[in-house]
């Protein structure tokens, strides 16, 4: 299998052109194997490039535990750059079919190189049942959830995939490896959840650490940064356009007046190989 390793803010992915090379293996099982950092290639996800009937192209992504999330923000920037520069879809603005609906990345080009990618991530889903989360109808804003004898105030946002945001005074004081798994698999989240701890610096800047569903702590999370931008506005904590600082770098997130969330950030090649 030929592959290209790419990364967006240190969130790293194994991309496979499945238009060229059809993969007949169990994809969840394949993802578990290739994402392994000791026995495989190493990555936070396996990303497949596929043909689409309703969009320019289709993306599927698998987590390191073999589960298939609806969307991945960092991966879709890598995906957009790859399909443009490999002449698979030679469009600056392209439509991508995902399990979270149509996503529209726009390449920011400098002498034909995609220096960054701005992605129209669509509208956030705020209704509890759409997160999905158990409980009465309505939005989930600053609500208490009990975990391991602690109580957390959570705001929940779906960007196609579920996110649970918790505001804290200092993200470096969070025992992510302990609380992350407990919240990820908390019974109120029937499809599990990604977990983001967020520290507001000012109206336009936040720090964020993420515990990803099916992956654990990663250096960055695109959909999580988008969900964080929305959660900040819902709680009256920041402007609608913010910079999210992550361990792997920065993303600009804007919840625009048309209701869509726009994410801008880098996408880089690491290496190509054969598995
Ligand atoms: C967080 C993520 N890496 C991104 O950049 O959006 C998405 C990966 C999928 C995530 N682990 C999930 O929803 O299961």
């Amino acid at each position: 299998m030929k592959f290209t390793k790419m990364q967006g803010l240190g969130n790293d992915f194994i991309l496979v052109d499945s238009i060229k090379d059809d993969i007949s293996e169990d994809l969840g099982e394949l993802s578990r194997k290739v994402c392994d950092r000791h026995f495989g290639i190493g990555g936070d996800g396996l990303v497949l490039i596929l043909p689409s009937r309703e969009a320019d192209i289709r993306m599927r992504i698998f987590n390191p535990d073999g589960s298939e999330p609806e969307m991945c923000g960092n991966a879709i920037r890598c995906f957009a750059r790859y399909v443009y520069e490999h002449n698979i879809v030679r469009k600056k603005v392209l439509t991508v079919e995902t399990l979270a609906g149509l996503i529209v990345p726009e390449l920011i080009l400098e002498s034909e190189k995609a220096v960054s990618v701005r992605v129209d991530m669509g509208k956030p889903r705020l209704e509890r049942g759409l997160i999905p989360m158990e409980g009465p109808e309505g939005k989930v804003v600053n609500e208490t959830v009990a975990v391991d004898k602690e109580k957390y105030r959570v705001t929940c946002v779906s960007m196609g995939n579920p996110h649970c945001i918790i505001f804290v005074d200092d993200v470096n004081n969070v025992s992510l490896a302990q609380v992350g798994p407990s919240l990820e698999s908390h019974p109120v989240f029937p499809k599990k959840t990604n977990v983001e701890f967020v520290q507001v610096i000012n109206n336009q800047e936040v720090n964020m650490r993420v515990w990803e569903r099916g992956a654990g702590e990663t250096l960055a999370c695109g959909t999580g940064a988008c969900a964080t931008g929305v959660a900040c506005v819902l709680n009256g904590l920041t402007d609608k356009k913010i910079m999210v600082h992550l361990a792997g770098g920065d993303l600009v997130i804007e919840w625009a007046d048309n209701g869509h969330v726009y994410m801008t950030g880098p996408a880089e090649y690491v290496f190509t190989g054969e598995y």
Side-chain angles (χ1 to χ4, degrees):
M1 181 178 86
K2 289 206 166 63
F3 69 90
T4 297
K5 179 84 185 283
M6 295 185 79
Q7 54 91 8
L9 302 180
N11 202 192
D12 57 344
F13 307 99
I14 299 153
L15 277 82
V16 176
D17 181 349
S18 308
I19 300 174
K20 233 194 232 159
D21 301 315
D22 192 24
I23 305 173
S24 51
E25 256 186 88
D26 174 334
L27 295 170
E29 173 65 22
L30 180 65
S31 183
R32 277 198 292 274
K33 286 198 289 198
V34 295
C35 288
D36 190 291
R37 296 195 185 274
H38 302 287
F39 296 97
I41 300 162
D44 293 326
L46 170 67
V47 175
L48 300 180
I49 300 163
L50 295 154
S52 170
R53 270 197 222 115
E54 55 188 79
D56 292 322
I57 192 100
R58 174 171 171 225
M59 177 177 91
R60 281 183 83 184
I61 169 156
F62 291 84
N63 282 321
D65 75 349
S67 59
E68 182 173 11
E70 300 80 356
M71 234 308 267
C72 177
N74 287 323
I76 206 153
R77 294 197 314 277
C78 297
F79 181 95
R81 178 168 185 183
Y82 184 98
V83 298
Y84 181 81
E85 291 180 352
H86 288 77
N87 289 316
I88 300 170
V89 180
R90 196 71 187 166
K91 288 184 181 172
K92 258 182 69 177
V93 180
L94 55 150
T95 54
V96 184
E97 178 188 343
T98 72
L99 288 179
L102 279 195
I103 306 289
V104 188
E106 177 187 350
L107 298 166
I108 316 287
L109 299 171
E110 259 172 37
S111 42
E112 280 309 295
K113 284 252 172 303
V115 287
S116 71
V117 185
R118 181 173 191 256
V119 186
D120 178 348
M121 301 282 282
K123 291 181 179 171
R125 290 86 157 159
L126 304 178
E127 191 48 51
R128 186 189 304 263
L130 298 177
I131 303 297
M133 184 177 176
E134 305 286 347
E137 275 179 33
K139 290 180 186 149
V140 186
V141 178
N142 197 24
E143 195 173 285
T144 304
V145 170
V147 186
D148 303 337
K149 295 185 190 137
E150 294 277 337
K151 287 200 173 117
Y152 293 92
R153 309 287 293 182
V154 307
T155 297
C156 296
V157 174
S158 168
M159 290 305 306
N161 57 350
H163 293 274
C164 168
I165 293 101
I166 297 163
F167 292 100
V168 293
D169 292 336
D170 182 355
V171 284
N172 295 316
N173 261 340
V174 176
S175 316
L176 203 53
Q178 241 151 37
V179 64
S182 307
L183 276 165
E184 176 191 1
S185 302
H186 195 288
V188 292
F189 299 108
K191 289 194 173 166
K192 299 191 175 176
T193 189
N194 296 287
V195 184
E196 285 83 19
F197 284 90
V198 177
Q199 170 187 356
V200 176
I201 304 170
N202 57 44
N203 281 351
Q204 283 150 15
E205 270 178 289
V206 303
N207 289 331
M208 179 189 125
R209 275 177 75 199
V210 58
W211 180 267
E212 274 191 43
R213 175 180 67 168
E217 180 167 12
T218 60
L219 297 180
C221 171
T223 50
C226 293
T228 290
V230 171
C232 285
V233 174
L234 291 176
N235 284 279
L237 296 171
T238 67
D239 296 346
K240 291 184 89 178
K241 185 171 183 182
I242 60 170
M243 170 94 79
V244 180
H245 302 292
L246 301 130
D250 300 337
L251 284 174
V252 174
I253 304 296
E254 180 176 12
W255 193 11
D257 291 338
N258 64 4
H260 289 226
V261 181
Y262 294 85
M263 168 193 68
T264 309
E268 302 292 340
Y269 295 98
V270 186
F271 59 89
T272 59
E274 207 168 290
Y275 176 76

